Amino acid sequence: MKASDSIRTVKNIGEARAKQFGNMGIETVDDLISYYPRDYEDRSVITPVSELEAGGTYTVKGRIMRAPEARRTRTLTVVSAVISDGTGSIVCVWFNQPYIKNQLALGIEYSFTGRVSERMGRLQFESPDYESANAVSLNTGRIVPVYRVPAKMSQKIIRGCIKDALDGVDGGFEEYMPRYVLDEHSLCSREFAVRNIHFPENDEAFFKARRRLVFDELLFLQLRLLELKGNICSKKSRVKINNFDISPVLSQLGFGLTNAQKKVLSEIISDFKKGCVMNRLIQGDVGSGKTALAMISAYIAAVNGYQAVLMAPTDVLANQHFKSFERLFSPFGIKCDILTSGLKKKEKDDAYRRISSGESKIIIGTHALIQDRVEYADLGLVITDEQHRFGVRQREKLSEKGDEPHVLVMTATPIPRTLALILYGDMDISVIDELPPGRQKIDTFAVDHSYYRRLYAFIKKEVAKGRQAYIICPMIEENDNAELRSVLSYTQELKNGILTGLRIACVHGRLKNDEKQDIMESFARGDIDVLISTTAIEVGINVPNASLMIVENAERFGLSALHQLRGRVGRGSDKSYCVLVSDSKTKLAKERLKIMCGTNDGFVISEKDLTLRGPGDFFGTRQHGLPEFKIANLYKDIDILGEVRSVAIDIYSGDKELKSVENSRLKSEIYEIFTSKIKKICL
Ligand code: ADP
Ligand code: MG
């Protein structure tokens, strides 16, 4: 029989059973074989009968000592048998399975797996699975697969049918993966993988098998994605970077790079060296130090005679970046400029002129950077910060301002990296997976309003230590007058009441940009103790002296937003705190706050966010239609996805149509999978 044959060709699958499988979506031998276990039970450890304890699940090898007998009660048929392994004996009971009486023979050795319970002071085995100790074991005495079982099916039936299918395929399972890929990535053969995913010989075999199957599944997807996006990094870059001497800028930074930053930097540099157009996403948790990488990359562009642009989502953030870039670059005589909508007309015109003449080498701004009016002299590098705040279209528009400049995109974690790999399938991805040294965990608490007194005392205590605090009040809509009034009166109340004597200011969306800017600057200088902000717009704000973040109505924020907010504190080496205030009693709200209190890891949080909301909701739409995987798990298999991506790129760029002899088998497999299995991938 062939893998593509109907399951009717499998031994012991008759019409009725085939129909049941049909209802599970299993029509062919191949479908059956790719019905992967949802879990495994390790039944390979044999326990002596004398060591059994009530409540545990065990595997025992024993002989039938007393012929099985069936007893009928009013409601049940109970089959019982006594087994012994020489260390002791135990009664086995099965309910409503009278046929078992005839399947177990006196004196024969079997292995049994099941739960041990205590009944009237005696241990008994409850409905254990059993198998002749001499037969090939499928259900006991080994690592046993556990499948999703619909009604009228049983684990035993599925295990048996899959085993028959595995053994019945003529010539086993042909290899389609090119040899060089198998070797390079230490992948086991397909034959090994398919067998061991169902009936692993041991843990190691299982991990090998799973790795191979996940690899295949993700590779098919990635190849397909590359084909779909059709724009691989094969474009030669016009931007010539020859000078890689970054020691001057490194010594100006004021800190040494973390290993993670160094790793990502070397990836960027190797992109520059390759001579292809760089198209790289940098993912790094809040506070991981993405800005420093933007600075170094911009420095490289500038010393090689090109302009670099950094686009940020808000005026406030653009201004903050501008200040730090200017501070860093002025000693080198590299001119920085800023372009935001908040500038006066004259300031803007001057900036346009300096940008188009090439006088400014580094230009920082907001959406204002992509307006038609702006012309760049020679754009070598474009960087977007907090990319998740921009659409893909805006990123493209920025690139189009130059002649295929290098592209660097930075984002914190609202997109789990796993999904980023898929959604940004056309980009290379670097991850800063380490925070600068000395960072402490931000202690996070979820409280309700009854804690207010203590909260204010806490603010006062931190301020007395010379630290600063944020209070975030969410507003559903920035132009909601009622909400704004309540925030303003709250601010007044604190000023005149419980926090009197502290320097308090409020920023909200209705302020003019320069008013906002002034407040943010005085907060950064330490002239304001408590900053009340109505919005979460101030992503990326960096005031390392702030040590306390209070979020009012925390239930109104998603997890990723809360994590971003919390990332405003804990940016120095001192202990910081985050207090999430919420009176909400809903389960989801509680769960979210609990997750926030439990971890500081943005990757964990965004993945939890994803599981709580589902990928569709996560992006606010259901349009992304992420494929459903049979075995790969986007949350767990990130490393494999990374490997697969490079293989996919190698294969695709070397042999776009998969025409070579080596790749041709792979191609028919992909074709098969994409025509029959993954029906819709829309990106
Ligand atoms: P984000 O990744 O959230 O954009 P930033 O780039 O704003 O983070 O960096 C957060 C803070 O960490 C800044 O104050 C920055 O100066 C500091 N920082 C960045 N890299 C390092 C490092 N390697 N060692 C010490 N401090 C660092
Ligand atoms: Mg940042």
PDB file of all heavy atoms in Angstrom, residues 210-233:
ATOM      1  N   ARG A 210      10.290  14.544  16.518  1.00  0.00           N
ATOM      2  CA  ARG A 210       9.458  15.731  16.536  1.00  0.00           C
ATOM      3  C   ARG A 210      10.172  16.883  15.827  1.00  0.00           C
ATOM      4  O   ARG A 210       9.599  17.606  15.031  1.00  0.00           O
ATOM      5  CB  ARG A 210       9.112  16.123  17.976  1.00  0.00           C
ATOM      6  CG  ARG A 210       8.204  17.324  18.014  1.00  0.00           C
ATOM      7  CD  ARG A 210       7.710  17.706  19.392  1.00  0.00           C
ATOM      8  NE  ARG A 210       6.770  18.797  19.244  1.00  0.00           N
ATOM      9  CZ  ARG A 210       7.132  20.048  19.053  1.00  0.00           C
ATOM     10  NH1 ARG A 210       8.406  20.380  19.024  1.00  0.00           N
ATOM     11  NH2 ARG A 210       6.227  20.996  18.866  1.00  0.00           N
ATOM     12  N   ARG A 211      11.455  17.009  16.143  1.00  0.00           N
ATOM     13  CA  ARG A 211      12.225  18.085  15.540  1.00  0.00           C
ATOM     14  C   ARG A 211      12.172  18.006  14.015  1.00  0.00           C
ATOM     15  O   ARG A 211      11.973  18.995  13.326  1.00  0.00           O
ATOM     16  CB  ARG A 211      13.674  17.988  16.018  1.00  0.00           C
ATOM     17  CG  ARG A 211      14.522  19.160  15.651  1.00  0.00           C
ATOM     18  CD  ARG A 211      15.909  19.044  16.276  1.00  0.00           C
ATOM     19  NE  ARG A 211      16.918  19.226  15.262  1.00  0.00           N
ATOM     20  CZ  ARG A 211      17.251  20.398  14.760  1.00  0.00           C
ATOM     21  NH1 ARG A 211      16.675  21.484  15.214  1.00  0.00           N
ATOM     22  NH2 ARG A 211      18.139  20.499  13.803  1.00  0.00           N
ATOM     23  N   ARG A 212      12.312  16.797  13.512  1.00  0.00           N
ATOM     24  CA  ARG A 212      12.297  16.622  12.067  1.00  0.00           C
ATOM     25  C   ARG A 212      10.928  17.013  11.487  1.00  0.00           C
ATOM     26  O   ARG A 212      10.828  17.725  10.494  1.00  0.00           O
ATOM     27  CB  ARG A 212      12.617  15.169  11.705  1.00  0.00           C
ATOM     28  CG  ARG A 212      12.315  14.778  10.273  1.00  0.00           C
ATOM     29  CD  ARG A 212      13.238  15.502   9.292  1.00  0.00           C
ATOM     30  NE  ARG A 212      12.660  15.594   7.957  1.00  0.00           N
ATOM     31  CZ  ARG A 212      12.910  14.756   6.961  1.00  0.00           C
ATOM     32  NH1 ARG A 212      13.766  13.772   7.137  1.00  0.00           N
ATOM     33  NH2 ARG A 212      12.321  14.909   5.795  1.00  0.00           N
ATOM     34  N   LEU A 213       9.877  16.569  12.127  1.00  0.00           N
ATOM     35  CA  LEU A 213       8.553  16.825  11.565  1.00  0.00           C
ATOM     36  C   LEU A 213       8.187  18.307  11.666  1.00  0.00           C
ATOM     37  O   LEU A 213       7.573  18.877  10.767  1.00  0.00           O
ATOM     38  CB  LEU A 213       7.504  15.950  12.251  1.00  0.00           C
ATOM     39  CG  LEU A 213       7.710  14.442  12.014  1.00  0.00           C
ATOM     40  CD1 LEU A 213       6.729  13.633  12.830  1.00  0.00           C
ATOM     41  CD2 LEU A 213       7.583  14.100  10.530  1.00  0.00           C
ATOM     42  N   VAL A 214       8.593  18.917  12.772  1.00  0.00           N
ATOM     43  CA  VAL A 214       8.356  20.352  12.922  1.00  0.00           C
ATOM     44  C   VAL A 214       9.151  21.108  11.855  1.00  0.00           C
ATOM     45  O   VAL A 214       8.648  22.030  11.213  1.00  0.00           O
ATOM     46  CB  VAL A 214       8.773  20.827  14.335  1.00  0.00           C
ATOM     47  CG1 VAL A 214       8.791  22.341  14.412  1.00  0.00           C
ATOM     48  CG2 VAL A 214       7.823  20.254  15.380  1.00  0.00           C
ATOM     49  N   PHE A 215      10.370  20.671  11.677  1.00  0.00           N
ATOM     50  CA  PHE A 215      11.237  21.289  10.680  1.00  0.00           C
ATOM     51  C   PHE A 215      10.555  21.261   9.317  1.00  0.00           C
ATOM     52  O   PHE A 215      10.450  22.267   8.621  1.00  0.00           O
ATOM     53  CB  PHE A 215      12.565  20.525  10.636  1.00  0.00           C
ATOM     54  CG  PHE A 215      13.663  21.227   9.900  1.00  0.00           C
ATOM     55  CD1 PHE A 215      14.600  21.980  10.581  1.00  0.00           C
ATOM     56  CD2 PHE A 215      13.763  21.125   8.516  1.00  0.00           C
ATOM     57  CE1 PHE A 215      15.620  22.626   9.902  1.00  0.00           C
ATOM     58  CE2 PHE A 215      14.780  21.773   7.828  1.00  0.00           C
ATOM     59  CZ  PHE A 215      15.714  22.526   8.525  1.00  0.00           C
ATOM     60  N   ASP A 216      10.070  20.093   8.943  1.00  0.00           N
ATOM     61  CA  ASP A 216       9.414  19.958   7.643  1.00  0.00           C
ATOM     62  C   ASP A 216       8.209  20.881   7.532  1.00  0.00           C
ATOM     63  O   ASP A 216       8.040  21.605   6.562  1.00  0.00           O
ATOM     64  CB  ASP A 216       8.927  18.513   7.438  1.00  0.00           C
ATOM     65  CG  ASP A 216      10.080  17.562   7.182  1.00  0.00           C
ATOM     66  OD1 ASP A 216      11.232  17.946   7.441  1.00  0.00           O
ATOM     67  OD2 ASP A 216       9.822  16.428   6.731  1.00  0.00           O
ATOM     68  N   GLU A 217       7.403  20.841   8.552  1.00  0.00           N
ATOM     69  CA  GLU A 217       6.168  21.604   8.475  1.00  0.00           C
ATOM     70  C   GLU A 217       6.460  23.100   8.335  1.00  0.00           C
ATOM     71  O   GLU A 217       5.866  23.802   7.522  1.00  0.00           O
ATOM     72  CB  GLU A 217       5.318  21.332   9.723  1.00  0.00           C
ATOM     73  CG  GLU A 217       3.898  21.808   9.576  1.00  0.00           C
ATOM     74  CD  GLU A 217       2.997  21.335  10.702  1.00  0.00           C
ATOM     75  OE1 GLU A 217       3.483  21.156  11.839  1.00  0.00           O
ATOM     76  OE2 GLU A 217       1.792  21.165  10.449  1.00  0.00           O
ATOM     77  N   LEU A 218       7.411  23.568   9.148  1.00  0.00           N
ATOM     78  CA  LEU A 218       7.736  24.986   9.093  1.00  0.00           C
ATOM     79  C   LEU A 218       8.466  25.350   7.801  1.00  0.00           C
ATOM     80  O   LEU A 218       8.284  26.429   7.252  1.00  0.00           O
ATOM     81  CB  LEU A 218       8.572  25.384  10.314  1.00  0.00           C
ATOM     82  CG  LEU A 218       7.825  25.285  11.650  1.00  0.00           C
ATOM     83  CD1 LEU A 218       8.763  25.587  12.808  1.00  0.00           C
ATOM     84  CD2 LEU A 218       6.631  26.228  11.684  1.00  0.00           C
ATOM     85  N   LEU A 219       9.263  24.399   7.318  1.00  0.00           N
ATOM     86  CA  LEU A 219       9.970  24.673   6.067  1.00  0.00           C
ATOM     87  C   LEU A 219       8.983  24.844   4.915  1.00  0.00           C
ATOM     88  O   LEU A 219       9.117  25.755   4.099  1.00  0.00           O
ATOM     89  CB  LEU A 219      10.956  23.546   5.747  1.00  0.00           C
ATOM     90  CG  LEU A 219      11.753  23.747   4.450  1.00  0.00           C
ATOM     91  CD1 LEU A 219      12.659  24.962   4.555  1.00  0.00           C
ATOM     92  CD2 LEU A 219      12.584  22.519   4.118  1.00  0.00           C
ATOM     93  N   PHE A 220       7.997  23.980   4.881  1.00  0.00           N
ATOM     94  CA  PHE A 220       7.002  24.115   3.820  1.00  0.00           C
ATOM     95  C   PHE A 220       6.346  25.483   3.890  1.00  0.00           C
ATOM     96  O   PHE A 220       6.147  26.154   2.893  1.00  0.00           O
ATOM     97  CB  PHE A 220       5.929  23.024   3.935  1.00  0.00           C
ATOM     98  CG  PHE A 220       6.476  21.643   3.776  1.00  0.00           C
ATOM     99  CD1 PHE A 220       5.913  20.577   4.440  1.00  0.00           C
ATOM    100  CD2 PHE A 220       7.571  21.410   2.961  1.00  0.00           C
ATOM    101  CE1 PHE A 220       6.420  19.296   4.297  1.00  0.00           C
ATOM    102  CE2 PHE A 220       8.090  20.134   2.805  1.00  0.00           C
ATOM    103  CZ  PHE A 220       7.515  19.080   3.477  1.00  0.00           C
ATOM    104  N   LEU A 221       6.037  25.876   5.095  1.00  0.00           N
ATOM    105  CA  LEU A 221       5.380  27.169   5.249  1.00  0.00           C
ATOM    106  C   LEU A 221       6.306  28.302   4.803  1.00  0.00           C
ATOM    107  O   LEU A 221       5.900  29.202   4.073  1.00  0.00           O
ATOM    108  CB  LEU A 221       4.973  27.375   6.711  1.00  0.00           C
ATOM    109  CG  LEU A 221       4.364  28.750   6.953  1.00  0.00           C
ATOM    110  CD1 LEU A 221       2.975  28.828   6.348  1.00  0.00           C
ATOM    111  CD2 LEU A 221       4.296  29.075   8.426  1.00  0.00           C
ATOM    112  N   GLN A 222       7.551  28.222   5.253  1.00  0.00           N
ATOM    113  CA  GLN A 222       8.469  29.309   4.932  1.00  0.00           C
ATOM    114  C   GLN A 222       8.749  29.393   3.438  1.00  0.00           C
ATOM    115  O   GLN A 222       8.805  30.480   2.874  1.00  0.00           O
ATOM    116  CB  GLN A 222       9.781  29.131   5.695  1.00  0.00           C
ATOM    117  CG  GLN A 222       9.661  29.453   7.171  1.00  0.00           C
ATOM    118  CD  GLN A 222       9.577  30.951   7.428  1.00  0.00           C
ATOM    119  OE1 GLN A 222      10.390  31.720   6.957  1.00  0.00           O
ATOM    120  NE2 GLN A 222       8.567  31.370   8.152  1.00  0.00           N
ATOM    121  N   LEU A 223       8.922  28.242   2.809  1.00  0.00           N
ATOM    122  CA  LEU A 223       9.181  28.261   1.370  1.00  0.00           C
ATOM    123  C   LEU A 223       8.010  28.905   0.653  1.00  0.00           C
ATOM    124  O   LEU A 223       8.169  29.700  -0.261  1.00  0.00           O
ATOM    125  CB  LEU A 223       9.393  26.841   0.848  1.00  0.00           C
ATOM    126  CG  LEU A 223      10.785  26.273   1.093  1.00  0.00           C
ATOM    127  CD1 LEU A 223      10.807  24.789   0.780  1.00  0.00           C
ATOM    128  CD2 LEU A 223      11.822  26.998   0.251  1.00  0.00           C
ATOM    129  N   ARG A 224       6.867  28.537   1.135  1.00  0.00           N
ATOM    130  CA  ARG A 224       5.667  29.085   0.541  1.00  0.00           C
ATOM    131  C   ARG A 224       5.592  30.598   0.741  1.00  0.00           C
ATOM    132  O   ARG A 224       5.243  31.351  -0.157  1.00  0.00           O
ATOM    133  CB  ARG A 224       4.473  28.387   1.188  1.00  0.00           C
ATOM    134  CG  ARG A 224       3.167  28.811   0.668  1.00  0.00           C
ATOM    135  CD  ARG A 224       3.019  28.376  -0.764  1.00  0.00           C
ATOM    136  NE  ARG A 224       1.695  28.721  -1.223  1.00  0.00           N
ATOM    137  CZ  ARG A 224       1.350  28.785  -2.483  1.00  0.00           C
ATOM    138  NH1 ARG A 224       2.225  28.532  -3.408  1.00  0.00           N
ATOM    139  NH2 ARG A 224       0.119  29.101  -2.816  1.00  0.00           N
ATOM    140  N   LEU A 225       5.965  31.008   1.947  1.00  0.00           N
ATOM    141  CA  LEU A 225       5.942  32.443   2.246  1.00  0.00           C
ATOM    142  C   LEU A 225       6.907  33.198   1.359  1.00  0.00           C
ATOM    143  O   LEU A 225       6.600  34.269   0.849  1.00  0.00           O
ATOM    144  CB  LEU A 225       6.375  32.678   3.696  1.00  0.00           C
ATOM    145  CG  LEU A 225       5.293  32.657   4.740  1.00  0.00           C
ATOM    146  CD1 LEU A 225       5.915  32.830   6.108  1.00  0.00           C
ATOM    147  CD2 LEU A 225       4.290  33.771   4.474  1.00  0.00           C
ATOM    148  N   LEU A 226       8.084  32.617   1.196  1.00  0.00           N
ATOM    149  CA  LEU A 226       9.079  33.288   0.372  1.00  0.00           C
ATOM    150  C   LEU A 226       8.565  33.418  -1.042  1.00  0.00           C
ATOM    151  O   LEU A 226       8.728  34.444  -1.687  1.00  0.00           O
ATOM    152  CB  LEU A 226      10.385  32.503   0.381  1.00  0.00           C
ATOM    153  CG  LEU A 226      11.140  32.578   1.692  1.00  0.00           C
ATOM    154  CD1 LEU A 226      12.381  31.705   1.625  1.00  0.00           C
ATOM    155  CD2 LEU A 226      11.520  34.012   2.003  1.00  0.00           C
ATOM    156  N   GLU A 227       7.925  32.358  -1.469  1.00  0.00           N
ATOM    157  CA  GLU A 227       7.374  32.411  -2.802  1.00  0.00           C
ATOM    158  C   GLU A 227       6.311  33.498  -2.876  1.00  0.00           C
ATOM    159  O   GLU A 227       6.255  34.283  -3.806  1.00  0.00           O
ATOM    160  CB  GLU A 227       6.791  31.048  -3.136  1.00  0.00           C
ATOM    161  CG  GLU A 227       6.519  30.856  -4.593  1.00  0.00           C
ATOM    162  CD  GLU A 227       5.713  29.602  -4.827  1.00  0.00           C
ATOM    163  OE1 GLU A 227       5.846  28.636  -4.040  1.00  0.00           O
ATOM    164  OE2 GLU A 227       4.932  29.594  -5.794  1.00  0.00           O
ATOM    165  N   LEU A 228       5.476  33.546  -1.849  1.00  0.00           N
ATOM    166  CA  LEU A 228       4.410  34.538  -1.829  1.00  0.00           C
ATOM    167  C   LEU A 228       4.962  35.944  -1.811  1.00  0.00           C
ATOM    168  O   LEU A 228       4.544  36.809  -2.556  1.00  0.00           O
ATOM    169  CB  LEU A 228       3.540  34.353  -0.578  1.00  0.00           C
ATOM    170  CG  LEU A 228       2.541  33.224  -0.594  1.00  0.00           C
ATOM    171  CD1 LEU A 228       1.779  33.202   0.725  1.00  0.00           C
ATOM    172  CD2 LEU A 228       1.585  33.373  -1.758  1.00  0.00           C
ATOM    173  N   LYS A 229       5.873  36.170  -0.943  1.00  0.00           N
ATOM    174  CA  LYS A 229       6.372  37.534  -0.823  1.00  0.00           C
ATOM    175  C   LYS A 229       7.284  37.886  -1.982  1.00  0.00           C
ATOM    176  O   LYS A 229       7.400  39.038  -2.368  1.00  0.00           O
ATOM    177  CB  LYS A 229       7.097  37.711   0.502  1.00  0.00           C
ATOM    178  CG  LYS A 229       6.131  37.560   1.654  1.00  0.00           C
ATOM    179  CD  LYS A 229       6.456  38.502   2.769  1.00  0.00           C
ATOM    180  CE  LYS A 229       5.294  38.515   3.742  1.00  0.00           C
ATOM    181  NZ  LYS A 229       5.494  39.354   4.873  1.00  0.00           N
ATOM    182  N   GLY A 230       7.938  36.859  -2.487  1.00  0.00           N
ATOM    183  CA  GLY A 230       8.705  37.027  -3.713  1.00  0.00           C
ATOM    184  C   GLY A 230       9.816  38.055  -3.663  1.00  0.00           C
ATOM    185  O   GLY A 230      10.419  38.369  -4.667  1.00  0.00           O
ATOM    186  N   ASN A 231      10.074  38.602  -2.468  1.00  0.00           N
ATOM    187  CA  ASN A 231      11.147  39.588  -2.465  1.00  0.00           C
ATOM    188  C   ASN A 231      12.204  39.216  -1.451  1.00  0.00           C
ATOM    189  O   ASN A 231      12.189  39.608  -0.308  1.00  0.00           O
ATOM    190  CB  ASN A 231      10.622  40.993  -2.189  1.00  0.00           C
ATOM    191  CG  ASN A 231       9.896  41.065  -0.876  1.00  0.00           C
ATOM    192  OD1 ASN A 231       9.641  40.025  -0.268  1.00  0.00           O
ATOM    193  ND2 ASN A 231       9.572  42.247  -0.420  1.00  0.00           N
ATOM    194  N   ILE A 232      13.090  38.430  -1.900  1.00  0.00           N
ATOM    195  CA  ILE A 232      14.118  37.972  -1.008  1.00  0.00           C
ATOM    196  C   ILE A 232      15.299  38.920  -1.101  1.00  0.00           C
ATOM    197  O   ILE A 232      15.423  39.647  -2.057  1.00  0.00           O
ATOM    198  CB  ILE A 232      14.516  36.559  -1.443  1.00  0.00           C
ATOM    199  CG1 ILE A 232      15.372  35.900  -0.412  1.00  0.00           C
ATOM    200  CG2 ILE A 232      15.239  36.574  -2.743  1.00  0.00           C
ATOM    201  CD1 ILE A 232      14.757  34.647   0.040  1.00  0.00           C
ATOM    202  N   CYS A 233      16.108  38.877  -0.062  1.00  0.00           N
ATOM    203  CA  CYS A 233      17.278  39.743  -0.094  1.00  0.00           C
ATOM    204  C   CYS A 233      18.276  39.232  -1.105  1.00  0.00           C
ATOM    205  O   CYS A 233      19.176  38.484  -0.798  1.00  0.00           O
ATOM    206  CB  CYS A 233      17.953  39.795   1.271  1.00  0.00           C
ATOM    207  SG  CYS A 233      19.621  40.417   1.215  1.00  0.00           S
TER     208      CYS A 233
END
